[in-house]
Amino acid sequence: MKKTTFIQDENAIFLKGNIHSHSCNSDGSLTPKEMKEAYKHHGYDFLAVTDHNFYSDTRKLSEYNFTMVQGFELYANASNDHDIHVNFLWADSIDGIKPNSKVALPERSGKVSIPFCYDLRKKGAYVMLNHPHWSKLKTPEIEDNNPYDAIEIINYATEWLERTGDGTVFWTEMLHRGLKFWNGGDDDNHNHQDLDSMYSDSFGGFTVVKARNRSAEAIIEAMKCGSFYTSEGPSIYDFYVEGNEVHVLCSPCERIFVCGEFRCFQRKFGRHLTEYVTKLVGKEHMVRCEVMDARGRSAWSNPIYLDEEYYSKGSKEND
Ligand SMILES: [Zn+2]
Ligand SMILES: [Zn+2]
């Protein structure tokens, strides 16, 4: 039987989006409408405006070929030396979150924010832990309190500003500890520079969902079941396990990695590679792939969990 995180529906389509961004309703420079126009003209299919502790209602900006996903970014102090920032995304509305208003937060405390995250997740929000490296988080504190669907592994703005936007090591360590997390990639753009400036923080990291249709509901459904990949450039057209064979199909790349745990890495190097078929080593609890193009830009699949028992310890509160 074929195992994959991609939705198996013959009508499903790939949609490119930015799931983390800031408008002038918090500390960004552009209005939500200007941001929508910019991303639409750069070939994106959807955008989430996720202002700091403020819900910018963008539902009316959705149109036939461009979808606005709803959300905000929680900004909470975990302690004096690090922060917790969390993205909440949803399709239409979430109980208790008022449109175009500040979000009523318990307190600016990381510990208090954890029940808040569980609560919104239960109400239907998709919950992503943002930029763990920038926030100076340590993996054990997340292992103890894990209300998240995903970890942001590519944050283009913090990578530009401080070289702290790469969360891949944090993410893979959590996977190796037996915790289930999808990945996530986006711009976290604030647009203090012009959009066409070489210092623009837009159009660097993105998420491509495979969804049943273009609606915000279908995009959130795809994200919750891991039917997407994160990218800086390349495309992953398919990634699946059939029997003990692993299959990767991608846009032309120079390196394709199939990754499990310790010493379960396999690779294929060459020019214009678009496919890699290999066999499982046999010790993997999960398997995922990463592809890298000639410019050194990567795309990451989500993990396919092969050993549900190993990953059961990472189950979330009341799941
Ligand atoms: Zn943040
Ligand atoms: Zn942000």
Side-chain angles (χ1 to χ4, degrees):
M1 204 184 79
K2 189 171 164 177
K3 290 182 184 166
T4 181
T5 62
F6 286 125
I7 285 175
Q8 298 299 290
D9 177 334
E10 61 180 27
N11 296 316
I13 43 172
F14 283 106
L15 301 169
K16 177 178 178 178
N18 178 17
I19 56 172
H20 182 173
S21 68
H22 297 278
S23 76
C24 56
N25 290 334
S26 60
D27 56 351
S29 293
L30 303 178
T31 65
K33 189 166 189 294
E34 288 168 331
M35 291 162 67
K36 179 200 115 175
E37 294 301 329
Y39 278 83
K40 189 176 143 190
H41 288 121
H42 269 78
Y44 284 64
D45 300 289
F46 68 95
L47 171 68
V49 175
T50 54
D51 281 309
H52 298 285
N53 297 344
F54 186 94
Y55 166 38
S56 296
D57 181 0
T58 60
R59 286 173 289 185
K60 287 200 174 121
L61 294 176
S62 279
E63 53 187 81
Y64 164 68
N65 61 353
F66 196 90
T67 307
M68 298 302 292
V69 170
Q70 307 304 299
F72 74 95
E73 182 179 22
L74 169 72
Y75 185 122
N77 286 119
S79 73
N80 286 336
D81 67 350
H82 63 302
D83 277 340
I84 287 187
H85 290 197
V86 181
N87 251 34
F88 299 92
L89 302 174
W90 63 89
D92 185 50
S93 63
I94 288 280
D95 217 16
I97 305 295
K98 291 200 188 88
N100 300 317
S101 306
K102 277 198 159 188
V103 177
L105 296 172
E107 265 177 52
R108 283 195 68 197
S109 155
K111 285 209 171 86
V112 178
S113 74
I114 298 295
F116 181 79
C117 294
Y118 278 118
D119 184 49
L120 285 205
R121 190 163 182 264
K122 253 181 261 169
K123 288 175 177 169
Y126 179 83
V127 185
M128 178 172 75
L129 179 66
N130 288 344
H131 45 64
H133 185 29
W134 181 90
S135 297
K136 304 288 178 279
L137 295 176
K138 296 168 189 72
T139 50
E141 61 194 308
I142 304 306
E143 190 165 345
D144 294 340
N145 284 301
N146 175 19
Y148 312 108
D149 293 284
I151 291 177
E152 186 182 59
I153 62 167
I154 292 299
N155 180 300
Y156 188 57
T158 56
E159 187 61 18
W160 253 113
L161 292 170
E162 301 179 16
R163 295 282 283 155
T164 52
D166 183 346
T168 52
V169 171
F170 193 98
W171 173 55
T172 54
E173 185 180 339
M174 298 309 285
L175 290 176
H176 296 173
R177 284 167 181 261
L179 283 105
K180 283 184 167 180
F181 283 98
W182 304 134
N183 58 38
D186 48 65
D187 287 331
D188 192 6
N189 50 299
H190 292 67
N191 302 111
H192 300 316
Q193 307 287 336
D194 289 343
L195 284 160
D196 54 4
S197 156
M198 68 178 288
Y199 301 111
S200 166
D201 54 6
S202 280
F203 319 124
F206 54 92
T207 292
V208 179
V209 298
K210 188 176 185 188
R212 295 184 204 280
N213 56 56
R214 291 181 165 274
S215 68
E217 286 78 9
I219 291 167
I220 293 293
E221 181 207 13
M223 296 190 69
K224 284 186 176 178
C225 67
S227 181
F228 66 90
Y229 62 88
T230 285
S231 182
E232 301 166 318
S235 301
I236 297 174
Y237 300 124
D238 211 351
F239 174 60
Y240 61 94
V241 175
E242 199 159 33
N244 70 341
E245 274 188 353
V246 188
H247 296 252
V248 182
L249 283 99
C250 58
S251 57
C253 281
E254 298 210 333
R255 294 192 248 178
I256 302 177
F257 301 92
V258 168
C259 318
E261 284 93 341
F262 186 57
R263 290 189 176 159
C264 292
F265 283 75
Q266 300 182 71
R267 64 196 71 78
K268 184 177 183 180
F269 294 166
R271 304 294 299 277
H272 309 296
L273 302 175
T274 55
E275 188 172 15
Y276 181 29
V277 181
T278 186
K279 287 193 166 50
L280 290 169
V281 172
K283 294 185 292 184
E284 299 94 338
H285 299 296
M286 62 86 203
V287 66
R288 60 181 184 83
C289 77
E290 178 177 343
V291 303
M292 191 183 287
D293 69 13
R295 291 170 57 187
R297 302 177 305 177
S298 285
W300 295 262
S301 78
N302 271 311
I304 297 171
Y305 300 109
L306 302 169
D307 184 344
E308 286 293 338
E309 200 183 325
Y310 184 78
Y311 282 99
S312 62
K313 73 176 177 183
S315 64
K316 279 102 177 170
E317 187 184 68
N318 302 326
D319 249 9

